[in-house]
Amino acid sequence: MMTVNHQDIYARLWRSLTPIYGDGEAKAVVRLLLDEGFGLTLTDIVSGKADELPASDRERLSIMADRLQKGEPVQYVLGRSDFCGRTFHVEPGVLIPRPETEDLCRMIVSEYSKPYCALQPPVPLQVLDVGTGSGCIAVTLALDLCNAEVSAWDISSEALLIARGNAKAMGASVNLMYQDALNAPEDVGRWDIIVSNPPYIAEHEREEMSLHVLNHEPRQALFVPDDDPLQFYRAIAVYAKQALKHDGKLFFEINPLFVKAMRRMLTQEGFTAITFAEDAFGKVRFCHCKVST
């Protein structure tokens, strides 16, 4: 275990992480650790307050620093990650929520909140999140949409336990179900919205990814075969054709590499109004569409 000496702790920590992150990101990671883990602001750090931590905190910091040096993401070390203004518990059994996925939630909330809030009497909006992981999408939509009844699927029992804990902690009503998206039930006209951020990274993209992602985040939530990168999208689309209500919509977070293939697949499966949108970095990251009637 790395020993954190009582001298310039901040500098020692970020320099120890530069082989993994580089200078700028290493500093940001350590600032986040000291802020959320020990309540030290940037002002505190600059003024040397990190060097005044009591022995018990220095011991805990040494353990956390050791995990960071082994490449474990800071969100797992802290046990939490921010998403859409809320703090979600995360562990290695679930993906760490990404900023791009926040945009997906905002897209849905922006489109549906006003129309459904205005309905009198209120009509419940039936929402399904496929592959919920930490529950970040399901919980966000349950809390931010008007009159939403949200359900969520995952094939990981560990993920469902984490999602259940997050929903309970935030007072969100989410019906969590153990369900394989590749073997969906034969539902008809059940949902107004189906949303999913399924595995979409092709195996050949591994070499471009950071080791702290490859070595620590759950493989089954990240990767798809090179010869069938749309397998989850296709399965969900086939299910959605029957399971969506009239005028219901399907929302996806997608891999920018497969935009043309996504459009072709969704068209073949009978979807219309297929629309793609960019994320904050200018990459085509989202898709939404409707079943043709």
Side-chain angles (χ1 to χ4, degrees), residues 21-175:
Y21 295 104
D23 289 4
E25 191 172 358
K27 291 177 181 178
V29 166
V30 175
R31 285 198 297 269
L32 180 63
L33 180 71
L34 293 173
D35 182 3
E36 299 208 5
F38 300 86
L40 296 176
T41 66
L42 180 57
T43 301
D44 293 331
I45 294 169
V46 171
S47 62
K49 292 289 182 64
D51 301 313
E52 300 173 8
L53 289 170
S56 58
D57 280 349
R58 292 203 304 274
E59 182 178 356
R60 183 162 62 93
L61 182 57
S62 290
I63 295 171
M64 299 171 90
D66 189 55
R67 292 172 65 184
L68 289 174
Q69 283 195 315
K70 292 176 180 177
E72 189 171 353
V74 65
Q75 292 89 345
Y76 288 155
V77 174
L78 288 167
R80 57 185 183 264
S81 180
D82 291 339
F83 184 87
C84 284
R86 301 180 178 93
T87 300
F88 286 77
H89 173 64
V90 293
E91 297 176 15
V94 296
L95 283 183
I96 296 166
R98 288 348 194 237
E100 296 88 342
T101 310
E102 291 183 316
D103 292 338
L104 178 64
C105 290
R106 292 187 186 105
M107 182 185 305
I108 295 171
V109 172
S110 176
E111 178 169 344
Y112 282 87
S113 281
K114 288 185 179 180
Y116 273 80
C117 286
L119 289 176
Q120 294 296 331
V123 177
L125 186 65
Q126 302 296 327
V127 181
L128 173 66
D129 172 26
V130 179
T132 196
S134 66
C136 61
I137 293 176
V139 169
T140 298
L141 296 182
L143 294 175
D144 290 353
L145 285 170
C146 285
N147 306 315
E149 295 182 355
V150 179
S151 296
W153 295 352
D154 209 289
I155 197 172
S156 166
S157 298
E158 184 178 3
L160 289 170
L161 285 173
I162 293 169
R164 182 172 290 112
N166 280 323
K168 182 178 180 180
M170 297 179 210
S173 178
V174 178
N175 179 28

